[in-house]
Amino acid sequence: MATIRRTASVLSVAALSTAALAGCGSGEAEEVDTGDISGTITYWASNQGASITEDEEVLTETIDRFTEETGVDVELEVIPWSDLQNRILTAVSSGNGPDVLNIGNTWATSMQATGAFMPWEGDALETIGGEDRFLQSSWATGGAEGETPTSVPLYALSYSMYYNTEIFEEAGIEEPPETWDEFVEVAQELTQDTDGDGSIDQHGFTMAGSSYTNNAHQAFIRGLQHGDTLYTEDGEPQFAADGIVAGVKEWVDLMAEDEVVAPGDAELTNGSESVQQVASGDAAMVFDQAPGNVFNNRDFENYEAAPIPMLDADAEGIEATQSHVAGINISVFENSDNKDAAVAFVDHMTSNEEQSYLNQEFTALPVVNEVYDEEEAFQTEEIQLKQDILENHARPMPLQTSEAQMETTVGTAIRDLLADAAQGTEISEDDVRSALEDAQTQMD
Amino acid sequence: MAAPQGVRAPREERRRRRREKKAQAAVANQVVQTAGGGWRTRIFPYALIAPASVMELLIHIIPMILGVCIAFLGLTQLTIGNWTEAPFVGMENFIEGLDPAGAIGSQFYAALLRTVAYTLISLALAWALGMFGAVLLTSKVRGRGFLRTLFLTPYALPQYVGAIAWAFMFNQSDGAVNRFLVDDLGILDDRPFWLLGDNAFWVLVIVTVWQFWPFAFLMLLAALQNIPTDVYEAAAMDGASTWKQFTTITLPMIRQANLVMLLILGLWIFNQFNIPYVLFGSGSPDEAMLVSPLIYEQSFNYWNFGLGGAMSTLLLVLLLVVSAVYIRLVMPKGKQLND
């Protein structure tokens, strides 16, 4: 009897704790008044620069300006990408999170489904100047289609192909490849044993094979180029659709069949590691979103950007996709007890001045249209190329609540295929299809 | 009539004893009063253990109960913002996690078997190295102090730091291991992958043994130092070889410490998460996927907290059963301890 009483009392404590932890659900959007704000807010920023310290320095400047204008103090924490999603999930489950936070824009729909973030409508939307101020492609990533977005764009990014101009010049290649076939051909030509010791020391292309996000992005982009999407129009996953299989096969073949990627790339977990290989001359080309900081840190200037090759240089519609609409969004936590100040902070971060400052520091693209016309820094060839990609050759990653899981399952399946390829296993189309089918069963 | 001598003490003696008893009782009473009186005395021991009990409840017991509760819920990203709204799914998560024909169930069983193999191999190697080091340093070898410090270094290093260093060393293209084996010694022609494929499992074992053998060494060294040296001297005089002395004196005399150490170390290794996470990132290769990282993957990569909770509960039950059997059958009982 005593045991039962003891068990019951422990369970009741647990139940009370659960109730306390759970007292955090989503609520109705409140009225926002940013006219009279004070106090302190907490801001979780994603790591955009070469290091956490560098990000802190950059963001402290913009935060100081906000504090000076409004009197609101901001407690900043820059969180590495590897931890950000877990930290957000923990905050959502405990109801004890920051007031403002950055998210990868491809997570926006999954995060929206938790109900833990403030919808951007009414006063809040008015405060940040309305959606027309923003690049439409970036704005579309704020949440599920047809629903009020729960995040607004902060930094815009897109994939481009970056290549080492010195290696291209030495090989007498004047123009970057436009089509996939040309790209593979050029990559093969540039895969060389430059010092004559019998082993390849320069590869035509480099990739972060263990980065599941990079792999998932390529499945999306290459799949679209082959005319297939990862989800049906009804929102059902179709990871093993013919187009996706063909696209993923092309990606894996760069290592398996074309042999233009070093097998060691299968171990790279971070995109910046492959960018460094281009800077060091170990590889000629890489697909990346914002390699500027890595190149700058190595004082490397011999590079140029070009569009990601398409199957056909004249492709149109979804076959002309070169990138997903990449970028970072900013959200306000629904449980914030200083929502007025939080909204004012988002307004500050998306203002023309701060957009100009932040995106120059982080080598990203502003998310507000006006900045492109006002600032000379955003009229360079590289920026104009990226702007063109975002406007004409980019699509948001699937706006499905299971998007984050899709990135994990599909990206991990491709990572495993690349690992097999690196160890000399031949990868057939059936292997790719089977891996993607297995990935899909994980979603059921 | 006076009582016969030796049967009953004389009256004076009995009075003296009564006086002594009263005096002892008065002293005892004095002590109790000094300690704080009746109810305070009763509460005192509970007050002493209360902070530890509260912390134990908060850090271990409640999360464990919550974990078991979560296992019966369909807790995903849709409901994580408000746990109370998560639908009750009964045994669904357990069925999914335990179905050997399903994608997740088959992964779970494979990871479980792999974890058992990993634990047994790592434990055996860590124990053997620890025992070797402890026996070596119990003898009068030169530089004992230095060697003791050197042997304990891996245990003193934070787990993350050690595992990161190993990850660099096992890198295929420019890691120290391949440089040594391929470039310097020329034992291998091609640079093998250590962090991918089948080798990943053995890398996991190597790093785990490196990390944990100093603990085995420390525990065994302490136990060995309690064995009186004259036992060995007597055995040596009787002509017992070193191996004979080890098997008939050393092992039996440190049996109790040995068994406790094996249980603790076994549980630590079985539940290992940090080493695979640092070596392979948030998703281990299939060949090196252990149960703890699999639970993490289901919970945080796929956002299926209910399924992760079900796997954790199954693991908890399994470890409880194994530990209970081990304690019941192998560990020394109270009587043996007193012996």
Side-chain angles (χ1 to χ4, degrees), chain A residues 335-353:
Chain A
N335 272 10
S336 165
D337 51 13
N338 199 352
K339 220 176 261 182
D340 293 343
V343 170
F345 184 64
V346 174
D347 178 41
H348 174 78
M349 295 292 280
T350 53
S351 67
N352 291 1
E353 298 73 28

Side-chain angles (χ1 to χ4, degrees), chain B residues 85-135:
Chain B
E85 281 180 12
F88 179 77
V89 295
M91 300 298 287
E92 207 175 279
N93 288 326
F94 290 94
I95 292 166
E96 194 177 352
L98 276 175
D99 177 12
I104 294 166
S106 58
Q107 232 181 331
F108 178 71
Y109 283 113
L112 192 60
L113 284 177
R114 196 175 297 114
T115 308
V116 170
Y118 156 78
T119 305
L120 293 176
I121 297 169
S122 305
L123 192 58
L125 292 174
W127 180 86
L129 274 176
M131 179 59 87
F132 175 76
V135 170

Side-chain angles (χ1 to χ4, degrees), chain A residues 170-229:
Chain A
E170 275 172 24
I173 302 168
E174 290 174 2
E175 293 292 327
E178 283 187 28
T179 66
W180 192 259
D181 288 343
E182 285 171 20
F183 162 70
V184 174
E185 209 173 296
V186 168
Q188 280 171 332
E189 195 181 331
L190 296 176
T191 301
Q192 295 172 4
D193 168 17
T194 58
D195 57 9
D197 69 349
S199 62
I200 303 289
D201 51 28
Q202 174 186 291
H203 284 86
F205 186 67
T206 175
M207 61 168 74
S210 268
S211 162
Y212 69 83
T213 47
N214 279 9
N215 288 332
H217 297 160
Q218 291 308 319
F220 171 73
I221 295 164
R222 304 233 56 71
L224 286 173
Q225 289 197 2
H226 282 272
D228 262 321
T229 53

Side-chain angles (χ1 to χ4, degrees), chain A residues 94-109:
Chain A
S94 66
N96 186 16
D99 299 279
V100 182
L101 73 163
N102 288 6
I103 61 170
N105 71 358
T106 59
W107 309 341
T109 314

Side-chain angles (χ1 to χ4, degrees), chain A residues 297-319:
Chain A
N297 282 347
R298 296 183 63 120
D299 292 327
F300 177 72
E301 292 174 348
N302 300 322
Y303 72 93
E304 274 185 25
I308 301 281
M310 299 184 289
L311 291 183
D312 182 346
D314 301 322
E316 286 181 356
I318 65 169
E319 280 90 352

